[in-house]
Amino acid sequence: MPIQRRHLLKTLAATALAAPLAAPAIAQTAPQITWRLSSSFPANLDLLYGGATSFAQYVKEASDGRFQIQIYAPDEIVPALSNLDAVQAGKVDACHTTLAYFWGKDPTFAIPTGLPFGMNARMTNAWFYEGGGNDLVNEFLAPYSAFALPVGNTGAQMGGWFVNPIHSLAEMKGLRIRCGGLTGSLLERLGAKPDNSPMADIRGHLANHELDGVEFVSPYDDEKLDLAKVAGHYYYPGWWQPSSAQHIVMNLAKWQGLPKAYQAMVQNAAAQANLAVQARYDARNPAALRRIVTQGTKLHDFPADITDAAYKAALEIYKNASASNPKFKKMLDAYMTFRDDQYLWWQVCEYTYDNFLIRQRAKESG
Amino acid sequence: MPIQRRHLLKTLAATALAAPLAAPAIAQTAPQITWRLSSSFPANLDLLYGGATSFAQYVKEASDGRFQIQIYAPDEIVPALSNLDAVQAGKVDACHTTLAYFWGKDPTFAIPTGLPFGMNARMTNAWFYEGGGNDLVNEFLAPYSAFALPVGNTGAQMGGWFVNPIHSLAEMKGLRIRCGGLTGSLLERLGAKPDNSPMADIRGHLANHELDGVEFVSPYDDEKLDLAKVAGHYYYPGWWQPSSAQHIVMNLAKWQGLPKAYQAMVQNAAAQANLAVQARYDARNPAALRRIVTQGTKLHDFPADITDAAYKAALEIYKNASASNPKFKKMLDAYMTFRDDQYLWWQVCEYTYDNFLIRQRAKESG
């Protein structure tokens, strides 16, 4: 072996001996990780489902492909409504859902998603990030071995599709309305009959008059239901969902075990997804609404006595739940105190400005 | 040398020979980078200034300290209004600013920040991220060798502080009002005299009646001006700033030269800062407004003839600027088309819901 080559080998060997000290340091801060994330939303609801795919993409890009999050549709690993159990058991690393889906376990789950007569979407974000909301949500989720971050919002939703127009509270009596969770309790107090039929059956049920109405999301998603011909009366606003937030819910130990840089990437990516999903709904809803109306669907606002009665019913539900559930009371009180403060300020600039512009545009268009 | 040790050395040497191929790959994707970012905002405006410090912190954490962005206050490297020139010349890597500060170069700069009678903050984000807004802004900025991302918004601003109440458009005539950029042109058309005094002199000028009014931001920032005793009439809303976005403006070549993972971190961090700054304003403004009113300041909305005249004046300004400036026309048309669509949808759910809750709370409080 020529002397030069031997020297080179020695040097390389010394480098190699040093390497085991350095390499793990890099490996620790930027390990290759693959997570499984189960979605509670069907892929054809592309904006909701897309909150998770965008989130995963942002994390993948920021980590240079080292942190991969694989998205599974409902039932690929677990059913949509078993996602929280699966996260808690570590069967999946994370899920993408609206926390309200789990209100049957505890009504407190409904609050972070958005409450009837609660805050609008921007206020909800102020509460999450700067009003202690995210901390309260995660304190509540800790016993479920879960840690959640907001990753999207639909904004205020529509009030749903009805076979016949509704002229007063009296006409709500007996109406069979497909709706979810807390909204069912609310509509029940107005005399309606909440229904849980699978979404796939809705159109048929409305056509056969087995159902009188259905509440879903907002124009962009609702358009896909193709309900114009079977339920041509479209009501607004969905006071039961003035904000509907989605969350990434991670197994707490998995979250805590992430390198700090990956935790930062997850937080940044979740924030970007939160902005992106809201922006996608906002950007697409106007054209969808225009198409819906052009096809002959009639737009109505709810009669005042219905909204007033719903408001009273919501207060009763909150009072009852607060009396029997200290966790609900704690989160509700924080949420409602923040809401009242937000509307105090909102009515001064945001609302007054929106009001002027909406009136001005109405004048201009005739 | 025992055979076993020689074998080990050979193995290590082989590993070491492979290493030079792998190591630079890591160095390329995660290099140590330090950027200098010059702020256009004084540090005592903690929410505005904080948009940049939060952005830098998010990037630092996600990059595990490899990508550091150092923030410099105005005049530390360059004056606030020279930041764009400094970015273009590569004197700093980036700046944090409102693009409207540079409207003297071209009025098109005013649009991304927010236009009089333009979109509210949420609509503006929908335009930026999903309506082609960010792409249009960066197409416009390319000749300035700059690339920008939104990193915050104040939301709709207040209309400012006045020494005396204003009862009608006629009373605007001759009023000396401290204000910025496009707002000055607007108020001039209403008969007022825009003023550019440094903020530090404002209180004295109002006390001496050398100034009649000043427009600034919203309650949390405005409270720091301590104007209650010299200009106790506080007007809303600031229709000239229904949204006021801040941007991180990067030198284009520096942006393009970043590793893809760092570009992703910057985009994610900017989005989180965008959400955070808005959330901070929203969370802090209600208490600040309450303190301002408690100290005796009178709240007023602008008389309708003033707002109507301002609306007409804004349309004239846009018409004139569009006639002489194709870049302005291109961005304005895109922005206003998007605005009209947004308000079409906004008035259905968001506005109707806010309207109900604001009226309901007014009823309850007496």
PDB file of all heavy atoms in Angstrom, chain A residues 118 122 156 268 272 290 311 341 343 350-351 353-355 364, chain B residues 117-118 156 268 272 290 311 341 343 350-351 353-355 364:
ATOM      1  N   GLY A 118     -72.460  31.193  18.739  1.00  0.00           N
ATOM      2  CA  GLY A 118     -71.119  31.460  19.265  1.00  0.00           C
ATOM      3  C   GLY A 118     -70.384  32.466  18.388  1.00  0.00           C
ATOM      4  O   GLY A 118     -70.997  33.317  17.736  1.00  0.00           O
ATOM      5  N   ARG A 122     -63.324  34.284  12.516  1.00  0.00           N
ATOM      6  CA  ARG A 122     -62.135  35.069  12.877  1.00  0.00           C
ATOM      7  C   ARG A 122     -62.007  35.211  14.386  1.00  0.00           C
ATOM      8  O   ARG A 122     -60.916  35.117  14.937  1.00  0.00           O
ATOM      9  CB  ARG A 122     -62.188  36.452  12.205  1.00  0.00           C
ATOM     10  CG  ARG A 122     -60.821  37.112  12.207  1.00  0.00           C
ATOM     11  CD  ARG A 122     -60.822  38.399  11.413  1.00  0.00           C
ATOM     12  NE  ARG A 122     -60.743  39.548  12.281  1.00  0.00           N
ATOM     13  CZ  ARG A 122     -60.879  40.797  11.870  1.00  0.00           C
ATOM     14  NH1 ARG A 122     -61.140  41.055  10.597  1.00  0.00           N
ATOM     15  NH2 ARG A 122     -60.767  41.798  12.712  1.00  0.00           N
ATOM     16  N   ALA A 156     -69.127  30.780   8.530  1.00  0.00           N
ATOM     17  CA  ALA A 156     -70.543  30.603   8.863  1.00  0.00           C
ATOM     18  C   ALA A 156     -71.212  29.747   7.792  1.00  0.00           C
ATOM     19  O   ALA A 156     -71.035  29.968   6.600  1.00  0.00           O
ATOM     20  CB  ALA A 156     -71.240  31.962   8.964  1.00  0.00           C
ATOM     21  N   ASN A 268     -46.659  25.372  12.444  1.00  0.00           N
ATOM     22  CA  ASN A 268     -46.681  26.299  11.309  1.00  0.00           C
ATOM     23  C   ASN A 268     -47.572  25.766  10.184  1.00  0.00           C
ATOM     24  O   ASN A 268     -48.341  26.515   9.577  1.00  0.00           O
ATOM     25  CB  ASN A 268     -45.264  26.518  10.752  1.00  0.00           C
ATOM     26  CG  ASN A 268     -44.346  27.215  11.748  1.00  0.00           C
ATOM     27  OD1 ASN A 268     -44.783  27.716  12.775  1.00  0.00           O
ATOM     28  ND2 ASN A 268     -43.062  27.248  11.447  1.00  0.00           N
ATOM     29  N   GLN A 272     -51.005  27.323   8.514  1.00  0.00           N
ATOM     30  CA  GLN A 272     -51.181  27.602   7.084  1.00  0.00           C
ATOM     31  C   GLN A 272     -52.408  26.874   6.541  1.00  0.00           C
ATOM     32  O   GLN A 272     -53.170  27.436   5.745  1.00  0.00           O
ATOM     33  CB  GLN A 272     -49.931  27.229   6.276  1.00  0.00           C
ATOM     34  CG  GLN A 272     -50.137  27.501   4.786  1.00  0.00           C
ATOM     35  CD  GLN A 272     -48.868  27.657   3.987  1.00  0.00           C
ATOM     36  OE1 GLN A 272     -47.787  27.686   4.532  1.00  0.00           O
ATOM     37  NE2 GLN A 272     -48.990  27.766   2.688  1.00  0.00           N
ATOM     38  N   ARG A 290     -74.069  31.373  -6.669  1.00  0.00           N
ATOM     39  CA  ARG A 290     -74.652  31.944  -7.894  1.00  0.00           C
ATOM     40  C   ARG A 290     -75.234  30.823  -8.772  1.00  0.00           C
ATOM     41  O   ARG A 290     -76.338  30.934  -9.295  1.00  0.00           O
ATOM     42  CB  ARG A 290     -73.582  32.735  -8.634  1.00  0.00           C
ATOM     43  CG  ARG A 290     -74.139  33.690  -9.662  1.00  0.00           C
ATOM     44  CD  ARG A 290     -73.040  34.511 -10.315  1.00  0.00           C
ATOM     45  NE  ARG A 290     -72.706  35.722  -9.609  1.00  0.00           N
ATOM     46  CZ  ARG A 290     -71.485  36.064  -9.183  1.00  0.00           C
ATOM     47  NH1 ARG A 290     -70.474  35.236  -9.373  1.00  0.00           N
ATOM     48  NH2 ARG A 290     -71.277  37.198  -8.571  1.00  0.00           N
ATOM     49  N   TYR A 311     -82.284  30.710  19.650  1.00  0.00           N
ATOM     50  CA  TYR A 311     -81.353  31.372  20.573  1.00  0.00           C
ATOM     51  C   TYR A 311     -81.684  30.989  22.014  1.00  0.00           C
ATOM     52  O   TYR A 311     -80.807  30.605  22.787  1.00  0.00           O
ATOM     53  CB  TYR A 311     -81.427  32.893  20.370  1.00  0.00           C
ATOM     54  CG  TYR A 311     -80.454  33.668  21.206  1.00  0.00           C
ATOM     55  CD1 TYR A 311     -79.118  33.796  20.822  1.00  0.00           C
ATOM     56  CD2 TYR A 311     -80.850  34.289  22.394  1.00  0.00           C
ATOM     57  CE1 TYR A 311     -78.219  34.512  21.595  1.00  0.00           C
ATOM     58  CE2 TYR A 311     -79.958  35.005  23.168  1.00  0.00           C
ATOM     59  CZ  TYR A 311     -78.642  35.114  22.760  1.00  0.00           C
ATOM     60  OH  TYR A 311     -77.752  35.823  23.529  1.00  0.00           O
ATOM     61  N   ASP A 341     -66.898  39.971  24.366  1.00  0.00           N
ATOM     62  CA  ASP A 341     -65.878  41.005  24.138  1.00  0.00           C
ATOM     63  C   ASP A 341     -65.640  41.218  22.645  1.00  0.00           C
ATOM     64  O   ASP A 341     -65.492  42.347  22.183  1.00  0.00           O
ATOM     65  CB  ASP A 341     -64.561  40.561  24.785  1.00  0.00           C
ATOM     66  CG  ASP A 341     -64.219  41.432  25.981  1.00  0.00           C
ATOM     67  OD1 ASP A 341     -65.155  42.027  26.557  1.00  0.00           O
ATOM     68  OD2 ASP A 341     -63.035  41.509  26.333  1.00  0.00           O
ATOM     69  N   TYR A 343     -67.712  40.705  20.102  1.00  0.00           N
ATOM     70  CA  TYR A 343     -68.806  41.404  19.422  1.00  0.00           C
ATOM     71  C   TYR A 343     -68.880  42.874  19.824  1.00  0.00           C
ATOM     72  O   TYR A 343     -69.327  43.720  19.044  1.00  0.00           O
ATOM     73  CB  TYR A 343     -70.139  40.671  19.585  1.00  0.00           C
ATOM     74  CG  TYR A 343     -70.327  39.656  18.474  1.00  0.00           C
ATOM     75  CD1 TYR A 343     -70.187  38.303  18.686  1.00  0.00           C
ATOM     76  CD2 TYR A 343     -70.588  40.092  17.171  1.00  0.00           C
ATOM     77  CE1 TYR A 343     -70.308  37.396  17.644  1.00  0.00           C
ATOM     78  CE2 TYR A 343     -70.714  39.191  16.122  1.00  0.00           C
ATOM     79  CZ  TYR A 343     -70.569  37.842  16.365  1.00  0.00           C
ATOM     80  OH  TYR A 343     -70.681  36.957  15.331  1.00  0.00           O
ATOM     81  N   GLU A 350     -65.725  46.391  12.089  1.00  0.00           N
ATOM     82  CA  GLU A 350     -65.945  45.360  11.064  1.00  0.00           C
ATOM     83  C   GLU A 350     -67.387  45.366  10.567  1.00  0.00           C
ATOM     84  O   GLU A 350     -67.661  45.406   9.369  1.00  0.00           O
ATOM     85  CB  GLU A 350     -65.611  43.963  11.614  1.00  0.00           C
ATOM     86  CG  GLU A 350     -64.157  43.764  12.031  1.00  0.00           C
ATOM     87  CD  GLU A 350     -63.183  43.717  10.868  1.00  0.00           C
ATOM     88  OE1 GLU A 350     -63.635  43.548   9.709  1.00  0.00           O
ATOM     89  OE2 GLU A 350     -61.968  43.868  11.106  1.00  0.00           O
ATOM     90  N   TYR A 351     -68.308  45.318  11.527  1.00  0.00           N
ATOM     91  CA  TYR A 351     -69.710  45.216  11.154  1.00  0.00           C
ATOM     92  C   TYR A 351     -70.200  46.483  10.459  1.00  0.00           C
ATOM     93  O   TYR A 351     -70.919  46.426   9.454  1.00  0.00           O
ATOM     94  CB  TYR A 351     -70.555  44.923  12.403  1.00  0.00           C
ATOM     95  CG  TYR A 351     -72.026  44.919  12.113  1.00  0.00           C
ATOM     96  CD1 TYR A 351     -72.625  43.816  11.528  1.00  0.00           C
ATOM     97  CD2 TYR A 351     -72.816  46.028  12.407  1.00  0.00           C
ATOM     98  CE1 TYR A 351     -73.979  43.814  11.240  1.00  0.00           C
ATOM     99  CE2 TYR A 351     -74.164  46.035  12.125  1.00  0.00           C
ATOM    100  CZ  TYR A 351     -74.742  44.924  11.543  1.00  0.00           C
ATOM    101  OH  TYR A 351     -76.077  44.923  11.253  1.00  0.00           O
ATOM    102  N   TYR A 353     -68.502  48.634   8.805  1.00  0.00           N
ATOM    103  CA  TYR A 353     -67.931  48.719   7.461  1.00  0.00           C
ATOM    104  C   TYR A 353     -68.652  47.764   6.497  1.00  0.00           C
ATOM    105  O   TYR A 353     -69.055  48.162   5.397  1.00  0.00           O
ATOM    106  CB  TYR A 353     -66.429  48.424   7.480  1.00  0.00           C
ATOM    107  CG  TYR A 353     -65.887  48.445   6.085  1.00  0.00           C
ATOM    108  CD1 TYR A 353     -65.671  49.656   5.433  1.00  0.00           C
ATOM    109  CD2 TYR A 353     -65.670  47.266   5.373  1.00  0.00           C
ATOM    110  CE1 TYR A 353     -65.245  49.699   4.117  1.00  0.00           C
ATOM    111  CE2 TYR A 353     -65.243  47.298   4.057  1.00  0.00           C
ATOM    112  CZ  TYR A 353     -65.032  48.511   3.432  1.00  0.00           C
ATOM    113  OH  TYR A 353     -64.624  48.554   2.134  1.00  0.00           O
ATOM    114  N   ASP A 354     -68.803  46.505   6.908  1.00  0.00           N
ATOM    115  CA  ASP A 354     -69.495  45.523   6.050  1.00  0.00           C
ATOM    116  C   ASP A 354     -70.901  46.022   5.708  1.00  0.00           C
ATOM    117  O   ASP A 354     -71.364  45.898   4.570  1.00  0.00           O
ATOM    118  CB  ASP A 354     -69.601  44.159   6.746  1.00  0.00           C
ATOM    119  CG  ASP A 354     -68.253  43.447   6.846  1.00  0.00           C
ATOM    120  OD1 ASP A 354     -67.342  43.773   6.059  1.00  0.00           O
ATOM    121  OD2 ASP A 354     -68.117  42.566   7.719  1.00  0.00           O
ATOM    122  N   ASN A 355     -71.560  46.565   6.719  1.00  0.00           N
ATOM    123  CA  ASN A 355     -72.915  47.085   6.544  1.00  0.00           C
ATOM    124  C   ASN A 355     -72.952  48.171   5.463  1.00  0.00           C
ATOM    125  O   ASN A 355     -73.806  48.145   4.570  1.00  0.00           O
ATOM    126  CB  ASN A 355     -73.399  47.647   7.889  1.00  0.00           C
ATOM    127  CG  ASN A 355     -74.775  48.287   7.798  1.00  0.00           C
ATOM    128  OD1 ASN A 355     -74.907  49.439   7.399  1.00  0.00           O
ATOM    129  ND2 ASN A 355     -75.798  47.530   8.150  1.00  0.00           N
ATOM    130  N   GLU A 364     -76.286  50.222  -5.834  1.00  0.00           N
ATOM    131  CA  GLU A 364     -75.706  50.290  -7.176  1.00  0.00           C
ATOM    132  C   GLU A 364     -76.331  49.284  -8.133  1.00  0.00           C
ATOM    133  O   GLU A 364     -76.486  49.554  -9.315  1.00  0.00           O
ATOM    134  CB  GLU A 364     -74.193  50.052  -7.107  1.00  0.00           C
ATOM    135  CG  GLU A 364     -73.455  51.263  -6.557  1.00  0.00           C
ATOM    136  CD  GLU A 364     -72.010  50.962  -6.233  1.00  0.00           C
ATOM    137  OE1 GLU A 364     -71.528  49.872  -6.565  1.00  0.00           O
ATOM    138  OE2 GLU A 364     -71.369  51.845  -5.638  1.00  0.00           O
TER     139      GLU A 364
ATOM    140  N   PHE B 117     -62.668  51.257   0.934  1.00  0.00           N
ATOM    141  CA  PHE B 117     -63.869  50.590   0.419  1.00  0.00           C
ATOM    142  C   PHE B 117     -63.538  49.271  -0.305  1.00  0.00           C
ATOM    143  O   PHE B 117     -64.245  48.846  -1.212  1.00  0.00           O
ATOM    144  CB  PHE B 117     -64.687  51.536  -0.466  1.00  0.00           C
ATOM    145  CG  PHE B 117     -65.096  52.774   0.287  1.00  0.00           C
ATOM    146  CD1 PHE B 117     -64.409  53.971   0.125  1.00  0.00           C
ATOM    147  CD2 PHE B 117     -66.130  52.709   1.209  1.00  0.00           C
ATOM    148  CE1 PHE B 117     -64.757  55.101   0.860  1.00  0.00           C
ATOM    149  CE2 PHE B 117     -66.482  53.841   1.942  1.00  0.00           C
ATOM    150  CZ  PHE B 117     -65.792  55.038   1.761  1.00  0.00           C
ATOM    151  N   GLY B 118     -62.453  48.679   0.117  1.00  0.00           N
ATOM    152  CA  GLY B 118     -62.055  47.388  -0.426  1.00  0.00           C
ATOM    153  C   GLY B 118     -62.563  46.242   0.437  1.00  0.00           C
ATOM    154  O   GLY B 118     -63.594  46.352   1.101  1.00  0.00           O
ATOM    155  N   ALA B 156     -60.184  45.762  10.212  1.00  0.00           N
ATOM    156  CA  ALA B 156     -60.715  47.099   9.921  1.00  0.00           C
ATOM    157  C   ALA B 156     -60.244  48.071  10.995  1.00  0.00           C
ATOM    158  O   ALA B 156     -60.325  47.784  12.191  1.00  0.00           O
ATOM    159  CB  ALA B 156     -62.240  47.060   9.871  1.00  0.00           C
ATOM    160  N   ASN B 268     -44.816  28.679   5.546  1.00  0.00           N
ATOM    161  CA  ASN B 268     -45.611  28.234   6.689  1.00  0.00           C
ATOM    162  C   ASN B 268     -45.539  29.253   7.834  1.00  0.00           C
ATOM    163  O   ASN B 268     -46.547  29.555   8.479  1.00  0.00           O
ATOM    164  CB  ASN B 268     -45.118  26.875   7.204  1.00  0.00           C
ATOM    165  CG  ASN B 268     -45.318  25.753   6.194  1.00  0.00           C
ATOM    166  OD1 ASN B 268     -46.002  25.926   5.188  1.00  0.00           O
ATOM    167  ND2 ASN B 268     -44.720  24.608   6.450  1.00  0.00           N
ATOM    168  N   GLN B 272     -48.489  31.489   9.626  1.00  0.00           N
ATOM    169  CA  GLN B 272     -48.786  31.487  11.062  1.00  0.00           C
ATOM    170  C   GLN B 272     -48.712  32.907  11.631  1.00  0.00           C
ATOM    171  O   GLN B 272     -49.544  33.304  12.460  1.00  0.00           O
ATOM    172  CB  GLN B 272     -47.830  30.553  11.819  1.00  0.00           C
ATOM    173  CG  GLN B 272     -48.115  30.600  13.326  1.00  0.00           C
ATOM    174  CD  GLN B 272     -47.643  29.391  14.097  1.00  0.00           C
ATOM    175  OE1 GLN B 272     -47.178  28.421  13.509  1.00  0.00           O
ATOM    176  NE2 GLN B 272     -47.761  29.433  15.401  1.00  0.00           N
ATOM    177  N   ARG B 290     -62.612  49.541  25.580  1.00  0.00           N
ATOM    178  CA  ARG B 290     -63.355  49.766  26.822  1.00  0.00           C
ATOM    179  C   ARG B 290     -62.626  50.795  27.703  1.00  0.00           C
ATOM    180  O   ARG B 290     -63.242  51.696  28.259  1.00  0.00           O
ATOM    181  CB  ARG B 290     -63.520  48.425  27.542  1.00  0.00           C
ATOM    182  CG  ARG B 290     -64.595  48.434  28.596  1.00  0.00           C
ATOM    183  CD  ARG B 290     -64.783  47.071  29.229  1.00  0.00           C
ATOM    184  NE  ARG B 290     -65.693  46.218  28.499  1.00  0.00           N
ATOM    185  CZ  ARG B 290     -65.422  44.983  28.086  1.00  0.00           C
ATOM    186  NH1 ARG B 290     -64.232  44.453  28.302  1.00  0.00           N
ATOM    187  NH2 ARG B 290     -66.329  44.278  27.452  1.00  0.00           N
ATOM    188  N   TYR B 311     -66.750  57.545  -0.508  1.00  0.00           N
ATOM    189  CA  TYR B 311     -66.913  56.425  -1.443  1.00  0.00           C
ATOM    190  C   TYR B 311     -66.779  56.918  -2.882  1.00  0.00           C
ATOM    191  O   TYR B 311     -66.051  56.338  -3.692  1.00  0.00           O
ATOM    192  CB  TYR B 311     -68.273  55.757  -1.207  1.00  0.00           C
ATOM    193  CG  TYR B 311     -68.514  54.538  -2.060  1.00  0.00           C
ATOM    194  CD1 TYR B 311     -67.975  53.305  -1.706  1.00  0.00           C
ATOM    195  CD2 TYR B 311     -69.293  54.611  -3.212  1.00  0.00           C
ATOM    196  CE1 TYR B 311     -68.190  52.182  -2.487  1.00  0.00           C
ATOM    197  CE2 TYR B 311     -69.512  53.489  -3.998  1.00  0.00           C
ATOM    198  CZ  TYR B 311     -68.959  52.280  -3.634  1.00  0.00           C
ATOM    199  OH  TYR B 311     -69.169  51.176  -4.406  1.00  0.00           O
ATOM    200  N   ASP B 341     -67.674  39.692  -5.512  1.00  0.00           N
ATOM    201  CA  ASP B 341     -68.096  38.307  -5.296  1.00  0.00           C
ATOM    202  C   ASP B 341     -68.124  37.969  -3.806  1.00  0.00           C
ATOM    203  O   ASP B 341     -69.031  37.279  -3.335  1.00  0.00           O
ATOM    204  CB  ASP B 341     -67.104  37.361  -5.987  1.00  0.00           C
ATOM    205  CG  ASP B 341     -67.742  36.686  -7.179  1.00  0.00           C
ATOM    206  OD1 ASP B 341     -68.710  37.230  -7.726  1.00  0.00           O
ATOM    207  OD2 ASP B 341     -67.249  35.604  -7.569  1.00  0.00           O
ATOM    208  N   TYR B 343     -68.568  39.988  -1.221  1.00  0.00           N
ATOM    209  CA  TYR B 343     -69.691  40.602  -0.497  1.00  0.00           C
ATOM    210  C   TYR B 343     -71.026  39.974  -0.877  1.00  0.00           C
ATOM    211  O   TYR B 343     -71.950  39.937  -0.066  1.00  0.00           O
ATOM    212  CB  TYR B 343     -69.686  42.125  -0.637  1.00  0.00           C
ATOM    213  CG  TYR B 343     -68.855  42.751   0.473  1.00  0.00           C
ATOM    214  CD1 TYR B 343     -67.593  43.272   0.234  1.00  0.00           C
ATOM    215  CD2 TYR B 343     -69.330  42.757   1.785  1.00  0.00           C
ATOM    216  CE1 TYR B 343     -66.824  43.808   1.265  1.00  0.00           C
ATOM    217  CE2 TYR B 343     -68.571  43.282   2.821  1.00  0.00           C
ATOM    218  CZ  TYR B 343     -67.328  43.810   2.558  1.00  0.00           C
ATOM    219  OH  TYR B 343     -66.573  44.317   3.590  1.00  0.00           O
ATOM    220  N   GLU B 350     -72.390  35.366   6.840  1.00  0.00           N
ATOM    221  CA  GLU B 350     -71.559  36.036   7.846  1.00  0.00           C
ATOM    222  C   GLU B 350     -72.237  37.288   8.386  1.00  0.00           C
ATOM    223  O   GLU B 350     -72.376  37.483   9.587  1.00  0.00           O
ATOM    224  CB  GLU B 350     -70.192  36.420   7.245  1.00  0.00           C
ATOM    225  CG  GLU B 350     -69.344  35.247   6.792  1.00  0.00           C
ATOM    226  CD  GLU B 350     -68.782  34.402   7.936  1.00  0.00           C
ATOM    227  OE1 GLU B 350     -68.803  34.856   9.096  1.00  0.00           O
ATOM    228  OE2 GLU B 350     -68.336  33.273   7.650  1.00  0.00           O
ATOM    229  N   TYR B 351     -72.655  38.141   7.455  1.00  0.00           N
ATOM    230  CA  TYR B 351     -73.231  39.420   7.866  1.00  0.00           C
ATOM    231  C   TYR B 351     -74.557  39.234   8.597  1.00  0.00           C
ATOM    232  O   TYR B 351     -74.826  39.866   9.617  1.00  0.00           O
ATOM    233  CB  TYR B 351     -73.420  40.319   6.640  1.00  0.00           C
ATOM    234  CG  TYR B 351     -74.105  41.609   6.986  1.00  0.00           C
ATOM    235  CD1 TYR B 351     -73.395  42.642   7.578  1.00  0.00           C
ATOM    236  CD2 TYR B 351     -75.468  41.776   6.744  1.00  0.00           C
ATOM    237  CE1 TYR B 351     -74.025  43.825   7.922  1.00  0.00           C
ATOM    238  CE2 TYR B 351     -76.098  42.958   7.082  1.00  0.00           C
ATOM    239  CZ  TYR B 351     -75.374  43.978   7.668  1.00  0.00           C
ATOM    240  OH  TYR B 351     -76.005  45.141   8.007  1.00  0.00           O
ATOM    241  N   TYR B 353     -75.583  36.684  10.250  1.00  0.00           N
ATOM    242  CA  TYR B 353     -75.344  36.126  11.578  1.00  0.00           C
ATOM    243  C   TYR B 353     -74.820  37.191  12.544  1.00  0.00           C
ATOM    244  O   TYR B 353     -75.325  37.343  13.658  1.00  0.00           O
ATOM    245  CB  TYR B 353     -74.369  34.939  11.503  1.00  0.00           C
ATOM    246  CG  TYR B 353     -74.087  34.431  12.885  1.00  0.00           C
ATOM    247  CD1 TYR B 353     -75.024  33.652  13.549  1.00  0.00           C
ATOM    248  CD2 TYR B 353     -72.928  34.801  13.569  1.00  0.00           C
ATOM    249  CE1 TYR B 353     -74.807  33.239  14.855  1.00  0.00           C
ATOM    250  CE2 TYR B 353     -72.707  34.393  14.869  1.00  0.00           C
ATOM    251  CZ  TYR B 353     -73.655  33.613  15.504  1.00  0.00           C
ATOM    252  OH  TYR B 353     -73.458  33.225  16.797  1.00  0.00           O
ATOM    253  N   ASP B 354     -73.788  37.936  12.117  1.00  0.00           N
ATOM    254  CA  ASP B 354     -73.241  38.999  12.982  1.00  0.00           C
ATOM    255  C   ASP B 354     -74.344  39.984  13.366  1.00  0.00           C
ATOM    256  O   ASP B 354     -74.428  40.424  14.512  1.00  0.00           O
ATOM    257  CB  ASP B 354     -72.108  39.753  12.265  1.00  0.00           C
ATOM    258  CG  ASP B 354     -70.847  38.908  12.101  1.00  0.00           C
ATOM    259  OD1 ASP B 354     -70.676  37.930  12.858  1.00  0.00           O
ATOM    260  OD2 ASP B 354     -70.036  39.233  11.211  1.00  0.00           O
ATOM    261  N   ASN B 355     -75.167  40.324  12.382  1.00  0.00           N
ATOM    262  CA  ASN B 355     -76.262  41.258  12.603  1.00  0.00           C
ATOM    263  C   ASN B 355     -77.193  40.754  13.707  1.00  0.00           C
ATOM    264  O   ASN B 355     -77.548  41.496  14.626  1.00  0.00           O
ATOM    265  CB  ASN B 355     -77.030  41.432  11.280  1.00  0.00           C
ATOM    266  CG  ASN B 355     -78.228  42.349  11.425  1.00  0.00           C
ATOM    267  OD1 ASN B 355     -79.297  41.933  11.843  1.00  0.00           O
ATOM    268  ND2 ASN B 355     -78.038  43.619  11.102  1.00  0.00           N
ATOM    269  N   GLU B 364     -80.271  42.505  25.142  1.00  0.00           N
ATOM    270  CA  GLU B 364     -80.014  41.930  26.462  1.00  0.00           C
ATOM    271  C   GLU B 364     -79.406  42.941  27.428  1.00  0.00           C
ATOM    272  O   GLU B 364     -79.672  42.914  28.625  1.00  0.00           O
ATOM    273  CB  GLU B 364     -79.080  40.718  26.338  1.00  0.00           C
ATOM    274  CG  GLU B 364     -79.803  39.504  25.777  1.00  0.00           C
ATOM    275  CD  GLU B 364     -78.858  38.366  25.422  1.00  0.00           C
ATOM    276  OE1 GLU B 364     -77.658  38.473  25.715  1.00  0.00           O
ATOM    277  OE2 GLU B 364     -79.335  37.380  24.840  1.00  0.00           O
TER     278      GLU B 364
END
